[in-house]
Amino acid sequence: MREIANPDDLLHWYDRHARVMPWRVGPADRAAGVRPDPYRIWLSEVMLQQTTVATVKSYFERFTSRWPDVQALAAADDGDVMGEWAGLGYYARARNLLKCARVVANEHGGIFPDACDALLKLPGIGPYTAAAISAIAFDRAETVVDGNVERVMARLYDIHTPLPTAKPELTEVATALTPDNRPGDYAQAVMDLGATICTPKSPACGICPWHTPCRARAADTQSDLPRKLPKKEKPTRLGIAYVVRRDDGAWLLERRPDKGLLGGMLGWPGSDWSEAPAPAPPLQANWQTLPDEARHTFTHFHLRLRIDVTIINGPVDPEIGEFIPRQRFKPSELPTVMRKVFDLAHGAFTKIG
DNA sequence: AATCCGTGGCC
DNA sequence: TGGCCAAGGAT
């Protein structure tokens, strides 16, 4: 008879090897009765969507220092939140984060729901995040299925169906395995296992607490799992960014519309991004094209951005965007592609004087 | 259902 | 250097 994976074996491993994170209540503290702060769990889970733990840590510290609870975040200025999120990517997360904070503050008395179905109704909370908050913050027996869990389950049960087709099947076996005992710790334990032992490349099967029941390990297929459908090729798009510096040091920037790429973020005025972008200077000036272009890769295309710069004297009323005084302009509040443009333009201005 | 939506580290 | 990958969600 084939041996079945035992959740207690994983929990025992987690008790010894749980990763330490700023938002996490470790297994020892949890056993002593310490409860996680749902606000911090929610915030960390949204930040961790498609984003590495290492990247999230510093953002989490800055957010919780500036906005210690959901009421504080709900009262925050939109631009301040988008500015703090700059560099983390997937900016719809930040817009939905604010929406969610305001719903929780105004319609739930500042208390996060503990049930999945209620959490799912909130902006920016999907199946994974709802289960994660319910399990981790409230210790309810919900099953989290993220990329780690998909990989662990595909290997544990030697499932060769490629993702995303395999998702329902992987969810089913993951659900069947979820224990009623310590579900919050268990959810974090599966993800820790995927992140540190059952890794995408070169999994450390020799020290895995589920080594014995793992069917992929028995079949030596672990390195091929999970299978994934081939990805589409990324096209290259071109564009022009216009950097205007006023003689008093102010910069001309625009707030991008909420919908679409980099929605809600600050950026330089520019052309469309396409095969043949149409020039669209925000004002009449003596434009100079920089020798180097900014290169950036988004989720689904490569971008090559020509940079046109100019320096203007005295008051000018641009048709597009708004001058931001030197004192108030923080390059750290720009999304990465816009910061690359700034770095190149600033370097050129500095050299020219 | 398929597409859109960022970024940085890794090898 | 370029593709892969990371605690996904909205439309």
Side-chain angles (χ1 to χ4, degrees):
Chain A
M1 189 174 101
R2 176 169 54 83
E3 189 169 344
I4 302 298
N6 183 351
D8 284 335
D9 291 339
L10 183 62
L11 284 166
H12 184 236
W13 170 83
Y14 180 73
D15 287 338
R16 289 173 288 137
H17 299 290
R19 289 179 291 172
V20 175
M21 300 173 192
W23 49 86
R24 174 178 281 182
V25 172
D29 285 339
R30 192 183 277 261
V34 179
R35 291 300 161 212
D37 177 355
Y39 169 70
R40 292 165 65 88
I41 298 302
W42 162 71
L43 179 60
S44 67
E45 288 301 342
V46 173
M47 286 183 166
L48 286 163
Q49 290 166 7
Q50 297 289 287
T51 309
T52 58
V53 170
T55 300
V56 163
K57 280 181 177 168
S58 64
Y59 282 87
F60 179 84
E61 299 290 7
R62 284 193 295 274
F63 264 73
T64 50
S65 294
R66 190 164 178 180
W67 302 294
D69 51 49
V70 71
Q71 288 90 349
L73 184 57
D77 176 80
D78 291 47
D80 288 342
V81 173
M82 300 311 289
E84 283 290 5
W85 198 275
L88 252 193
Y90 287 133
Y91 297 101
R93 291 185 296 170
R95 301 195 302 275
N96 286 327
L97 188 83
L98 250 179
K99 282 187 197 167
C100 183
R102 289 167 181 163
V103 171
V104 170
N106 299 327
E107 299 175 23
H108 296 267
I111 307 295
F112 277 88
D114 61 353
C116 261
D117 57 350
L119 287 162
L120 269 173
K121 293 187 170 71
L122 296 169
I125 297 183
Y128 164 77
T129 306
I133 295 171
S134 189
I136 297 171
F138 299 106
D139 213 27
R140 293 171 64 110
E142 300 291 348
T143 303
V144 298
V145 184
D146 72 330
N148 288 307
V149 178
E150 288 174 351
R151 184 171 58 256
V152 170
M153 294 302 146
R155 287 171 175 170
L156 198 52
Y157 294 96
D158 199 31
I159 292 169
H160 289 239
T161 312
L163 284 165
T165 309
K167 176 98 175 181
E169 186 180 356
L170 296 169
T171 299
E172 190 180 326
V173 296
T175 303
L177 204 51
T178 302
D180 290 322
N181 177 40
R182 301 173 61 190
D185 281 342
Y186 175 81
Q188 295 172 95
V190 193
M191 294 190 282
D192 275 20
L193 185 74
T196 64
I197 304 282
C198 195
T199 50
K201 293 170 191 171
S202 310
C205 302
I207 56 173
C208 179
W210 278 346
H211 170 100
T212 303
C214 184
R215 296 180 66 181
R217 170 64 179 167
D220 197 28
T221 53
Q222 66 273 25
S223 295
D224 304 323
L225 299 176
R227 291 185 54 198
K228 297 188 177 180
L229 258 28
K231 296 175 180 174
K232 285 201 308 187
E233 198 173 317
K234 290 178 180 176
T236 296
R237 295 187 196 169
L238 308 178
I240 310 167
Y242 298 95
V243 179
V244 183
R245 195 179 71 162
R246 207 165 57 187
D247 52 7
D248 66 355
W251 301 90
L252 181 62
L253 290 152
E254 66 171 336
R255 179 72 62 183
R256 300 171 63 88
D258 276 348
K259 299 280 182 186
L261 193 68
L262 308 180
M265 300 300 290
L266 279 179
W268 308 104
S271 69
D272 61 308
W273 296 346
S274 60
E275 284 192 3
L283 48 78
Q284 231 177 32
N286 177 27
W287 294 100
Q288 285 188 263
T289 298
L290 297 189
D292 292 322
E293 56 188 11
R295 289 168 172 268
H296 192 73
T297 298
F298 292 100
T299 311
H300 52 292
F301 66 94
H302 303 287
L303 178 66
R304 289 169 41 192
L305 213 45
R306 190 181 101 193
I307 303 170
D308 285 9
V309 303
T310 192
I311 299 179
I312 62 166
N313 303 308
V316 171
D317 194 19
E319 302 213 356
I320 301 169
E322 176 186 352
F323 280 101
I324 299 191
R326 182 170 49 83
Q327 292 262 41
R328 202 149 50 77
F329 172 63
K330 296 191 184 72
S332 66
E333 295 191 353
L334 296 175
T336 299
V337 65
M338 300 298 176
R339 193 179 44 70
K340 287 181 181 177
V341 170
F342 170 77
D343 289 343
L344 288 166
H346 186 258
F349 283 134
T350 303
K351 197 182 301 180
I352 296 164

